């Protein structure tokens, strides 16, 4: 993507909104199941991407995801989220890291080193985790914007110019726009994505 990851000027790592944890603990099964679907849709892609980045094979990725989600499911009745003790993204990183060690053991590596020789707090691990986390937030934001503006020329210009990296003049010609409209589309959608990613940070 053309310069899209450089767009975020605000930190996007506040504490996870505790309401999702409250809904996961509800006695009524219907809202609890909806909360679990939301939880899985939000965090499973992060877990799986992190696992792949650390060497998990495709057949092992599902096992890692299931191990993390099942572990949290079993703890959820007594789990109390306290943002003063740390961010949820850090807690999830540790759970995912341990699941990787459990599922694939010495096969999990980073920069050629087995995970058994690395601590989950090492900078290299944090860098991979943060990169995966932020990429997934951007994908979620982009999907939301595509869902509401996907057929507009503004979004199509942004997508072709920024996401597909097509030359601005080619995009303008194909969509019947002035080239300046392509640049304005990039500014407009980038600003909208910034707002959505920032809002996700408040939730996550």
């Amino acid at each position: 993507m053309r310069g899209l990851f450089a767009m975020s000027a605000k930190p996007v790592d506040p504490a996870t909104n505790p309401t999702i944890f409250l809904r996961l603990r509800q006695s009524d099964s219907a809202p609890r199941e909806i909360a679990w679907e939301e939880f899985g849709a939000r965090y499973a892609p992060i877990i799986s991407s992190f696992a792949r980045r650390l060497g998990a094979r495709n057949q092992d990725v599902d096992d890692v995801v299931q191990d993390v989600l099942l572990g949290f499911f079993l703890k959820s009745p007594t789990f109390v989220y306290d943002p003063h003790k740390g961010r949820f993204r850090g807690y999830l990183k540790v759970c995912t890291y341990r699941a990787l060690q459990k599922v694939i053991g010495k096969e999990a590596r980073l920069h050629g080193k087995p995970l058994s020789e690395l601590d989950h707090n090492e900078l290299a691990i944090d860098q991979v985790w943060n990169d995966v986390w932020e990429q997934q937030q951007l994908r979620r934001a982009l999907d939301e914007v595509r869902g509401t503006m996907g057929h507009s020329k503004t979004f199509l210009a942004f997508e072709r110019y920024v996401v597909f990296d097509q030359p601005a003049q080619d995009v303008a010609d194909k969509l019947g726009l002035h080239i300046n409209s392509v640049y304005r589309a990039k500014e407009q959608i980038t600003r909208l994505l910034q707002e959505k990613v920032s809002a996700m940070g408040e939730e996550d």
Side-chain angles (χ1 to χ4, degrees), residues 149-167:
M149 298 181 61
H151 297 295
S152 68
K153 284 192 175 182
T154 298
F155 182 82
L156 291 174
F158 167 84
E159 185 174 46
R160 294 182 184 188
Y161 177 52
V162 178
V163 180
F164 300 147
D165 204 25
Q166 297 176 3

Side-chain angles (χ1 to χ4, degrees), residues 139-151 155 196:
R139 289 191 186 97
R140 284 173 54 200
L142 193 59
D143 285 344
E144 287 185 16
V145 175
R146 184 182 287 111
T148 57
M149 298 181 61
H151 297 295
F155 182 82
K196 287 189 173 293

